[in-house]
Amino acid sequence: MAPSLPSMMRAVVQTAPGTASVESVPIPKVEYGSALVKLEASLVHSNLSPIFKADLDYFKLPYPAVPGSFGIGRVAAVGPDATALREGDFVIVSAFIHSRDDPSVNIIRGVLAGPTPASQHLYKTFARNGFFAEYVTAPLETIFRLDEARLFGSPEAGGLGYIPGELVVFPANVICYAAMRGISLQPGERVVITPATGHYSAAAVDVAAALGARVIAASRNAAGLAKLKETYPGVVDTVQLTGDVKTDGAALSAFGPVDAVVDVSPPAATGAPNFAAALSSLRDGGRVTLVGGRGDETLPIPYLKAMMSSLTIKGSYMYAREDVEACIRLAEAGLLKFGKRAGHVVHAVYTLDDFQEAMDRAVETAGPGSIIYIKP
Ligand SMILES: NC(=O)c1ccc[n+]([C@@H]2O[C@H](COP(=O)([O-])OP(=O)(O)OC[C@H]3O[C@@H](n4cnc5c(N)ncnc54)[C@H](OP(=O)(O)O)[C@@H]3O)[C@@H](O)[C@H]2O)c1
């Protein structure tokens, strides 16, 4: 560890469902295969509150644990085997981790310990070391260097003028990018994104626009749709869904042949007609990616339609390292937009001491492009 580093740091330590306090804990050791990052911004997603209270069975986490699921900061120390990362690099730290000796085992830090003894074991090795802290350690392969001058520099100096906290929505972009790469979405293709006004679905619109696709945002929320159209004039068309599959399918088809559908429906939309309407609009040879969290037991699609139209239907879970790298390139090129350029709003920035209020506020303000983060 670099000699200038302190030995202790402040972190939110959770000991039971809904119970945590800010404590002084040892700074995690930097070992082979890892690096230590001093955090500038830690995402406070609206799903953290129910996870913190252990309200959701599937997302129960072991204790003690430091919450948080994504962070941006500066490398403070690297393990002896690091070959690319250097102290001082500005980086994002992904929460999605694969076991090194069995890559089929994976976890999401601060979110998902997974259902198997192997994933639970992997999770426990990271649990005490999360993103609601001054420092976090992470496997080298989950840390990605950013072009600091380009992303955060002033426009006069050729920068995009973002602040680090505006990039905390990055994981949603990467998840949606991976889904679109999975169905080979091409520039100029027409893609229906449904819904389009959630945290992830609005990110899907940002990504599809960055990829040069022609987007049809299909959702019920008129105000949310209007905002998307305003953010991406000439790129995003909108259809306010009525709930009638035939009417909505016809409205989606009216723009011309639909090449692809990206479904990002949440569990609350289980059984909802938006997905069937989107599917009905697909051209022959169309592709579908399922990236949401619906609980449907079967897909609402006629077997013969899928067969006769040679449709491809693909599920997409999380992302690969190359997806993160590709999204960083899109962001640095200025194609994938953040902050005001993407219509995002930073509602509030909190300190570690206000972690509870931060999580509550994230629930209150949840919505497309809504940002709450902790600056430890
Ligand atoms: N594949 C992966 O790796 C991955 C990773 C992370 C998250 N996810 C999943 O992504 C999903 C979407 O997340 P999110 O944060 O964007 O969800 P969200 O913000 O809770 O909801 C998104 C939108 O769903 C629509 N909706 C809600 N209830 C509905 C209903 N009953 N019928 C029709 N539409 C309804 C609403 O849009 P309108 O009111 O405008 O219609 C809402 O804005 C989650 O379920 C999550 O599990 C997947």
Side-chain angles (χ1 to χ4, degrees):
M1 199 174 285
S4 54
L5 278 175
S7 58
M8 303 295 281
M9 67 169 182
R10 299 180 80 233
V12 176
V13 179
Q14 181 171 12
T15 49
T19 305
S21 57
V22 179
E23 292 178 15
S24 179
V25 300
I27 289 191
K29 280 205 178 82
V30 182
E31 289 161 345
Y32 279 94
S34 69
L36 180 74
V37 174
K38 182 160 193 337
L39 290 163
E40 286 269 330
S42 297
L43 168 68
V44 187
H45 188 281
S46 59
N47 70 9
L48 282 192
S49 177
I51 291 172
F52 181 71
K53 294 178 195 152
D55 281 348
L56 309 169
D57 277 347
Y58 193 63
F59 296 95
K60 289 212 186 316
L61 300 175
Y63 307 116
V66 175
S69 60
F70 179 73
I72 299 181
R74 199 175 290 287
V75 174
V78 294
D81 54 335
T83 56
L85 284 175
R86 296 271 175 276
E87 234 180 274
D89 284 346
F90 208 80
V91 295
I92 58 174
V93 184
S94 164
F96 187 42
I97 295 182
H98 290 82
S99 158
R100 283 180 172 162
D101 51 352
D102 180 359
S104 71
V105 175
N106 60 66
I107 57 157
I108 308 175
R109 297 174 83 171
V111 178
L112 195 61
T116 66
S119 64
Q120 298 270 332
H121 170 72
L122 180 64
Y123 194 95
K124 281 180 193 153
T125 62
F126 290 98
R128 288 166 190 253
N129 166 27
F131 294 89
F132 283 10
E134 289 177 302
Y135 293 84
V136 68
T137 50
L140 292 169
E141 65 273 20
T142 66
I143 303 176
F144 298 83
R145 188 173 35 222
L146 302 174
D147 182 340
E148 190 176 355
R150 171 67 174 154
L151 290 168
F152 308 116
S154 72
E156 298 75 44
L160 291 161
Y162 297 131
I163 52 169
E166 288 174 327
L167 266 69
V168 292
V169 293
F170 198 79
N173 294 127
V174 181
I175 286 163
C176 295
Y177 175 87
M180 292 178 208
R181 185 168 71 90
I183 55 166
S184 304
L185 186 69
Q186 300 297 313
E189 285 197 314
R190 190 173 278 112
V191 59
V192 169
I193 296 176
T194 187
T197 67
H199 178 79
Y200 289 94
S201 46
V205 174
D206 294 332
V207 171
L211 291 174
R214 302 172 74 179
V215 179
I216 306 173
S219 237
R220 302 166 307 174
N221 176 337
L225 290 174
K227 197 172 159 212
L228 290 171
K229 205 163 176 162
E230 188 188 316
T231 306
Y232 296 108
V235 173
V236 173
D237 286 308
T238 59
V239 168
Q240 187 181 9
L241 299 175
T242 64
D244 179 77
V245 173
K246 271 206 172 137
T247 307
D248 294 339
L252 294 169
S253 308
F255 296 96
V258 172
D259 301 289
V261 166
V262 178
D263 185 276
V264 202
S265 305
T270 299
N274 62 320
F275 183 49
L279 285 176
S280 74
S281 73
L282 275 172
R283 67 161 168 84
D284 279 5
R287 295 100 71 204
V288 182
T289 180
L290 309 179
V291 67
R294 285 175 64 131
D296 305 60
E297 295 283 325
T298 57
L299 294 177
I301 181 166
Y303 185 103
L304 283 180
K305 156 94 180 164
M307 184 275 281
M308 301 277 297
S309 300
S310 301
L311 299 185
T312 300
I313 301 176
K314 199 170 182 305
S316 186
Y317 180 62
M318 296 304 281
Y319 47 78
R321 193 178 154 83
E322 65 213 81
D323 297 312
V324 184
E325 289 167 341
C327 278
I328 291 173
R329 283 196 299 273
L330 284 172
E332 290 173 351
L335 295 167
L336 178 57
K337 298 179 194 314
F338 294 89
K340 291 188 191 78
R341 290 167 195 254
H344 298 170
V345 179
V346 177
H347 287 288
V349 182
Y350 290 92
T351 63
L352 285 174
D353 296 297
D354 297 323
F355 69 91
Q356 183 64 65
E357 197 184 326
M359 289 192 290
D360 293 345
R361 189 79 195 282
V363 173
E364 283 162 30
T365 58
S370 168
I371 296 176
I372 302 277
Y373 67 91
I374 285 177
K375 194 167 164 45

